[in-house]
Amino acid sequence: MDNPDRVLLARFAAGDGTIMALDSNPLAYALGGRITALDVEAGTVELRFRPGPTFLQGAGMIQGGAIAAMLDFAMAFTVLAGLPAEQGATTVNLNVSLQRPCLAGEHRARGTVERRGRSLAFAHAELAPVDGDDVGTPVATATSTMAIVALG
């Protein structure tokens, strides 16, 4: 069975750069996720998220677990995009640093592969607003270790 996230990444890579909804994963879709850029050779991905009221806590801030999920998606998608079809990846370690309040609105998550070996991949990501006074200033960063697994 094909991994729906891999199918989405392949569709985006083969397309004309048109932004696509992250409809391959229910949580990414619920967070208002879209893929906006992918560079397999450089090991980078850019996702956009607009979490709705379900993911907000007091004073209109996005809940920390939702922030971690957005960062994890960015890192997982960039690692997955660079793997052959017979391999997948799963997060084995996730470190998130929340740097300031993450207010409601649209955010960009950029993921980058730092290094990929035969059994592990290392990635990092940052999340920043795309509108308001603090455009581009990260609200959170993360690093991840991902196990590369054989599918079959």
Side-chain angles (χ1 to χ4, degrees), residues 5 8-10 12-13 19-20 22 24 33-49 69-82 107-114 116 123-128 146:
D5 293 333
L8 175 82
L9 290 166
F12 183 82
I19 294 172
M20 299 175 81
L22 294 179
S24 60
R34 299 176 324 280
I35 183 167
T36 59
L38 174 64
D39 186 334
V40 176
E41 292 298 317
T44 61
V45 70
E46 181 180 289
L47 308 176
R48 297 278 179 112
F49 293 95
M70 291 183 278
L71 291 162
D72 189 40
F73 278 118
M75 292 180 290
F77 275 42
T78 193
V79 169
L80 184 62
H107 290 77
R108 177 196 71 239
R110 285 189 178 150
T112 304
V113 175
E114 292 178 350
R116 186 175 60 236
H124 71 271
E126 72 173 35
L127 184 72
M146 304 192 82

Side-chain angles (χ1 to χ4, degrees), residues 27-124:
L27 179 56
Y29 188 75
L31 286 165
R34 299 176 324 280
I35 183 167
T36 59
L38 174 64
D39 186 334
V40 176
E41 292 298 317
T44 61
V45 70
E46 181 180 289
L47 308 176
R48 297 278 179 112
F49 293 95
R50 186 179 287 278
T54 300
F55 299 101
L56 301 181
Q57 46 108 343
M61 290 179 272
I62 299 172
Q63 193 271 341
I67 295 167
M70 291 183 278
L71 291 162
D72 189 40
F73 278 118
M75 292 180 290
F77 275 42
T78 193
V79 169
L80 184 62
L83 293 175
E86 65 274 3
Q87 292 181 323
T90 186
T91 303
V92 295
N93 185 35
L94 176 64
N95 296 299
V96 177
S97 296
L98 304 170
Q99 299 171 353
R100 58 190 184 89
C102 187
L103 301 176
E106 187 171 11
H107 290 77
R108 177 196 71 239
R110 285 189 178 150
T112 304
V113 175
E114 292 178 350
R115 187 173 74 76
R116 186 175 60 236
R118 284 180 287 190
S119 61
L120 293 175
F122 302 89
H124 71 271

